[in-house]
Amino acid sequence: MVFDLDMIKQVYSRIPGRVAAARAAVNRPLTLTEKILYAHLWQGEASEDFARGVSYVDFAPDRVAMQDATAQMALLQFMQAGRDKVAVPSTVHCDHLIQAKVGAVADLQTAVDKNKEVYDFLASVSNKYGIGFWKAGAGIIHQVVLENYAFPGGMMIGTDSHTPNAGGLGMIAIGVGGADACDVMAGLAWELKFPKLIGVKLTGKLSGWTSAKDVILKVAGILTVKGGTDHIVEYFGEGARSLSATGKGTICNMGAEIGATTSIFGYDENSASYLRGTGRAEVAALADGIAEHLTGDAEVYANPEKYFDQVIEINLSELEPHINGPFTPDLAWPLSKFAQAVRENGWPAKLDVGLIGSCTNSSYEDISRAASLAQQAVDKNLKAKAEYTITPGSEMVRYTVERDGFLGTFDQMGGVVLANACGPCIGQWARHGAEKQEKNSIITSFNRNFAKRADGNPNTHAFVASPEIVTALAIAGDLTFNPVTDTLTNEKGEQVKLEEPKGLDLPTKGFAVEDAGYQAPAADGSKVQVAVSPSSERLQLLDPFKAWEGTDLHGLKLLIKAKGKCTTDHISMAGPWLRFRGHLDNISNNLLIGAINYFNETANKVKNQISGEYGEVPAVQRAYKAAGIGSIVVGDENYGEGSSREHAAMEPRHLGVRAILVKSFARIHETNLKKQGMLALTFANKADYEKVQENDSIDILGLTSFAPGKPLRIVLNHADGSKDEIVVNHSYNEQQIEWFKAGAALNIIRAQFAG
Ligand code: MIC
Ligand code: SF4
């Protein structure tokens, strides 16, 4: 048993009392989200005064989960916090650093050799501080968490934006930067803007080609990549109860793509079966005991408009399969309209690769349904026309689907099984020929499809769909194929049709695994040594950031005015750069190299205002740093969308950028900036974005009276001697202003533990 039953018992013993108190305090029925949030208040009582989307509230999460690419920075920070042991149960998962090249076994071995230094570091820090460690090959963080740790009514934070996956099992699970994880592991409160609530009422029942993935593909189309910002999405209704726990996990997982703080489903029979099926019958029994508190109040679901800020209704019986993309996960196409969209937009119709798996869609159900199509291909003499890969989400799923013959079926169809890891989803894909940058199409069951993400090629058109649709299209090798209506020509020249996919929520023979890949920490870690070599190119101990100088900032240079989409992949690219996630100075060499410069429409080419010449963004910023000149980054809407990686905030901080000024921020990134002592500012008047010129020298005024709710001013001193003064907003509260003043939140913790 790897989960902490005592902790769950404690949480369950306080939920009924806290929910009753909260209901009395606000004097109305409660949504599920409110119940769990109120049950996890750090101190004090529930109150209607928590203004949704505005008030910061302190919470006490029950768990922390970290994946290897973000854990390095989280733990480097935690090591400075002065604790002997983590304050809440925590785990590390090695999943992001495994590159997909030839297949599971060889790729895993290569990763273990190549990443030895980092894995050894993570294993020894985990051992020392009481953190559970999941070795490379054990699986992707969110699947391993769903299978082992997620529990209805719990609250977890994780250093990865898809942490909400655990919402499928009724947990409030939120993606954060490493500095937030560090606070919780150090025993401090965790602060969150009290969310607004979106209710999604699901009626009907899925059938045929439609699957849980299509619910979120549809929701993404409705809400777009920023529609969920500062909201929690709560799903309910008979349709919700008809979905498997892992299907719900898929929906919650991809809620990250609409910017939602998290998403959640209530506890039901399917949650209980999943808990029992994954060796947690005790948890199911405990949850049964307080089941009424693990779902929203009946009055809420009867009149959702009264209690949610926004309500969406989807009838599962009428829902069509969807395909989203290219280049953004919210461009949603119902299957019946997709072929036409491909033709009209001139997207490459030939499908090169279909990829299934990832943390989003790698459950037993997903794989069994995809395998039912692969089996048909074999039986009907169809040869898959596109390449086809499978990344199982965990060793437990992989072992079980191998035992049940599904991997053999994929093999017969020509599929390649990759390691239980993120692989191509995070650019860890040595795709042959990608360097030629040819225009091509791929389709995945992953969640993100930003340009260059999977294979580094900006001309790869990546689409997102369910594993079933990905498999059918890979068999056809054609994006315009509609399996519901079209036939295919087989090896014998006959016309054949694919039948609807079939699968099972849970294995009839139960899950099995030989070595799940878990390593428990030492009971007493005080003797464990953690070594970081000063000459390492992958790990670097952190130096504290400097405190604020106490004055307004004058004469900042414009580093870049980014145009259009600027995700964390644009700010701090993954793929080949993942190797430097534990070395702040080295990874800073990727700062904003993907962002498009407004003034020349080119990536990674900005004006160095000292020399007047154009150079790469990191090099220009290093020149400013060497000259002791601060700078500012200007951006568009939803800046920092995507990942939780705090490198996107630490790199500019490390290189001397002082402020990020944008039209709007994605939630996790904004918090990450604040935590690292940066100024995260928004234009009071979005049109002022146009006033920023390439040669501007910029002043930030009002810092000596920096206060919550009080805008700051910025003076844009243009090269021709004219100037514009503009108003900029911020969302800093008192405490966050202290982080800014101290130079970073961590500087405050460090001082507290030292004192
Ligand atoms: C991603 O899907 O982009 C990642 C890689 O899982 C990230 C975390 C990271 O950048 O390490 C995320 O989503 O938070
Ligand atoms: Fe890994 Fe992709 Fe999931 Fe991120 S979205 S955790 S990279 S599988």
Side-chain angles (χ1 to χ4, degrees):
M1 178 172 78
V2 298
F3 60 94
D4 194 326
L5 193 59
D6 287 340
M7 178 268 279
I8 299 176
K9 282 185 182 156
Q10 277 173 27
V11 176
Y12 281 9
S13 68
R14 67 171 196 251
I15 286 182
R18 296 254 187 133
V19 170
R23 204 182 279 113
V26 301
N27 195 23
R28 61 169 173 80
L30 297 174
T31 61
L32 169 62
T33 306
E34 290 167 305
K35 291 183 189 179
I36 306 183
L37 289 177
Y38 290 145
H40 287 86
L41 290 179
W42 178 254
Q43 58 189 17
E45 299 248 308
S47 145
E48 278 296 18
D49 293 342
F50 296 156
R52 293 181 183 180
V54 178
S55 306
Y56 284 95
V57 177
D58 281 347
F59 292 99
D62 310 313
R63 289 203 75 85
V64 173
M66 292 163 279
Q67 43 89 339
D68 51 2
T70 49
Q72 300 170 58
M73 217 33 108
L75 294 173
L76 283 164
Q77 294 177 78
F78 180 73
M79 284 164 66
Q80 301 189 15
R83 301 254 333 186
D84 302 336
K85 214 174 169 24
V86 285
V88 300
S90 306
T91 48
V92 164
H93 303 260
C94 296
D95 53 1
H96 280 62
L97 302 178
I98 303 172
Q99 191 184 44
K101 195 166 183 185
V102 284
V105 178
D107 293 349
L108 179 59
Q109 194 48 52
T110 311
V112 168
D113 296 342
K114 268 199 356 208
N115 301 317
K116 183 168 185 323
E117 182 187 6
V118 170
Y119 290 153
D120 286 351
F121 168 75
L122 292 173
S124 61
V125 180
S126 300
N127 200 14
K128 184 170 179 65
Y129 295 107
I131 301 171
F133 182 71
W134 290 81
K135 292 185 266 190
I140 309 175
I141 176 168
H142 312 301
Q143 282 309 313
V144 175
V145 166
L146 194 72
E147 288 163 11
N148 296 280
Y149 300 115
F151 65 97
M155 183 181 208
M156 172 177 79
I157 58 164
T159 60
D160 189 279
S161 65
H162 294 104
T163 303
N165 193 68
L169 214 44
M171 191 171 205
I172 294 267
I174 302 183
V176 299
D180 284 39
C182 176
D183 286 359
V184 174
M185 292 189 293
L188 303 176
W190 176 67
E191 178 192 69
L192 176 75
K193 228 190 257 170
F194 201 81
K196 293 193 200 166
L197 301 178
I198 297 177
V200 180
K201 179 173 182 182
L202 300 179
T203 59
K205 198 170 184 326
L206 295 174
S207 65
W209 285 89
T210 310
S211 70
K213 178 67 158 252
D214 300 304
V215 175
I216 186 63
L217 293 175
K218 167 94 185 165
V219 169
I222 299 172
L223 288 173
T224 80
V225 288
K226 56 191 286 254
T229 309
D230 291 332
H231 286 76
I232 291 187
V233 185
E234 180 169 327
Y235 291 84
F236 60 94
E238 42 150 345
R241 287 188 300 275
S242 73
L243 298 170
S244 66
T246 49
K248 293 173 188 154
T250 297
I251 295 173
C252 294
N253 176 302
M254 214 185 142
E257 271 51 64
I258 53 168
T261 301
T262 191
S263 305
I264 191 164
F265 281 82
Y267 177 71
D268 60 25
E269 231 343 279
N270 288 343
S271 328
S273 315
Y274 185 75
L275 283 169
R276 287 192 292 265
T278 50
R280 290 172 290 170
E282 295 107 313
V283 180
L286 287 170
D288 285 339
I290 59 160
E292 66 188 286
H293 304 301
L294 301 177
T295 183
D297 287 342
E299 296 90 319
V300 168
Y301 293 157
N303 295 298
E305 289 76 15
K306 268 173 76 181
Y307 304 98
F308 290 98
D309 299 284
Q310 185 180 348
V311 177
I312 294 172
E313 187 167 332
I314 297 175
N315 182 344
L316 300 183
S317 307
E318 289 168 2
L319 181 68
E320 254 197 82
H322 276 64
I323 298 180
N324 289 19
F327 306 124
T328 185
D330 57 351
L331 192 56
W333 305 97
L335 182 61
S336 58
K337 305 252 160 51
F338 185 63
Q340 193 187 346
V342 170
R343 287 186 208 106
E344 283 176 5
N345 291 290
W347 300 325
K350 172 171 174 289
L351 177 65
D352 282 0
V353 196
L355 306 98
I356 69 161
S358 89
C359 63
T360 332
N361 270 112
S362 53
S363 63
Y364 187 86
E365 183 182 27
D366 289 330
I367 297 201
S368 64
R369 281 172 62 89
S372 76
L373 295 167
Q375 186 63 53
Q376 291 184 50
V378 175
D379 295 345
K380 297 182 183 183
N381 291 305
L382 286 162
K383 246 189 131 171
K385 297 248 172 50
E387 284 176 46
Y388 183 70
T389 68
I390 305 101
T391 36
S394 72
E395 176 57 13
M396 185 178 86
V397 164
R398 193 209 60 79
Y399 189 94
T400 310
V401 296
E402 180 171 47
R403 178 200 66 192
D404 293 350
F406 301 138
L407 295 189
T409 311
F410 290 132
D411 188 45
Q412 278 176 282
M413 182 183 112
V416 177
V417 179
L418 301 173
N420 312 321
C422 301
C425 179
I426 189 55
Q428 290 280 38
W429 188 19
R431 185 179 177 195
H432 48 91
E435 66 292 344
K436 286 188 237 141
Q437 307 222 337
E438 279 162 358
K439 196 167 162 188
N440 75 99
S441 291
I442 64 172
I443 188 164
T444 79
S445 73
F446 310 162
N447 42 37
R448 295 205 168 130
N449 56 351
F450 303 140
K452 295 207 235 177
R453 179 170 167 98
D455 63 358
N457 174 1
N459 300 317
T460 293
H461 291 54
F463 296 87
V464 181
S466 67
E468 295 87 321
I469 294 295
V470 171
T471 307
L473 267 53
I475 295 171
D478 181 358
L479 275 188
T480 62
F481 172 65
N482 180 345
V484 179
T485 50
D486 302 349
T487 55
L488 292 167
T489 315
N490 71 5
E491 298 281 284
K492 297 187 184 154
E494 299 156 348
Q495 290 297 301
V496 292
K497 195 155 183 302
L498 293 172
E499 310 296 327
E500 290 167 357
K502 296 213 165 26
L504 289 168
D505 291 12
L506 293 168
T508 4
K509 286 190 258 167
F511 283 109
V513 67
E514 240 161 42
D515 173 9
Y518 178 70
Q519 212 166 283
D524 172 10
S526 58
K527 303 262 158 7
V528 178
Q529 295 287 335
V530 178
V532 173
S533 154
S535 61
S536 168
E537 58 153 19
R538 297 194 61 176
L539 294 167
Q540 181 187 41
L541 294 175
L542 294 170
D543 284 331
F545 292 131
K546 273 209 210 99
W548 171 54
E549 55 271 64
T551 58
D552 281 343
L553 304 179
H554 290 277
L556 306 176
K557 301 292 179 209
L558 175 72
L559 174 61
I560 184 171
K561 173 163 154 180
K563 183 173 174 189
K565 215 176 188 40
C566 192
T567 71
T568 46
D569 282 342
H570 297 81
I571 307 171
S572 174
M573 202 189 167
W577 291 91
L578 285 171
R579 60 186 274 104
F580 298 124
R581 284 289 184 88
H583 196 294
L584 183 54
D585 195 53
N586 284 347
I587 198 161
S588 295
N589 290 330
N590 77 0
L591 176 67
L592 284 158
I593 59 177
I596 301 298
N597 180 357
Y598 177 91
F599 300 104
N600 55 18
E601 308 259 337
T602 311
N604 206 16
K605 194 170 169 205
V606 292
K607 185 160 180 184
N608 174 336
Q609 293 197 43
I610 307 176
S611 66
E613 281 164 16
Y614 284 81
E616 297 183 346
V617 185
V620 170
Q621 183 54 36
R622 282 194 192 270
Y624 293 149
K625 182 176 187 178
I629 304 173
S631 69
I632 163 165
V633 168
V634 172
D636 218 310
E637 296 281 5
N638 209 20
Y639 182 90
E641 161 186 354
S643 157
S644 66
R645 63 189 77 141
E646 65 200 321
H647 306 77
M650 293 179 88
E651 292 174 26
R653 179 78 176 99
H654 170 66
L655 293 184
V657 178
R658 303 302 299 269
I660 312 285
L661 169 63
V662 300
K663 291 186 188 165
S664 63
F665 282 109
R667 173 189 63 89
I668 307 179
H669 187 61
E670 183 178 19
T671 309
N672 286 345
L673 288 168
K674 291 177 178 176
K675 279 250 139 120
Q676 303 299 339
M678 292 277 286
L679 284 171
L681 308 173
T682 51
F683 290 100
N685 174 4
K686 289 185 183 180
D688 287 345
Y689 171 89
E690 299 304 329
K691 294 189 177 145
V692 180
Q693 296 177 15
E694 191 171 26
N695 298 316
D696 282 353
S697 165
I698 298 165
D699 309 326
I700 304 181
L701 310 179
L703 289 173
T704 47
S705 54
F706 194 6
K710 189 173 161 202
L712 298 170
R713 279 166 300 126
I714 282 193
V715 182
L716 305 166
N717 301 289
H718 306 306
D720 64 2
S722 66
K723 44 173 96 174
D724 277 300
E725 181 164 327
I726 62 173
V727 177
V728 295
N729 292 334
H730 67 81
S731 63
Y732 287 71
N733 60 23
E734 300 278 1
Q735 188 191 351
Q736 295 167 341
I737 291 174
E738 291 310 312
W739 300 344
F740 166 73
K741 290 185 175 162
L746 186 59
N747 290 347
I748 298 179
I749 304 182
R750 201 189 276 116
Q752 278 166 1
F753 277 96

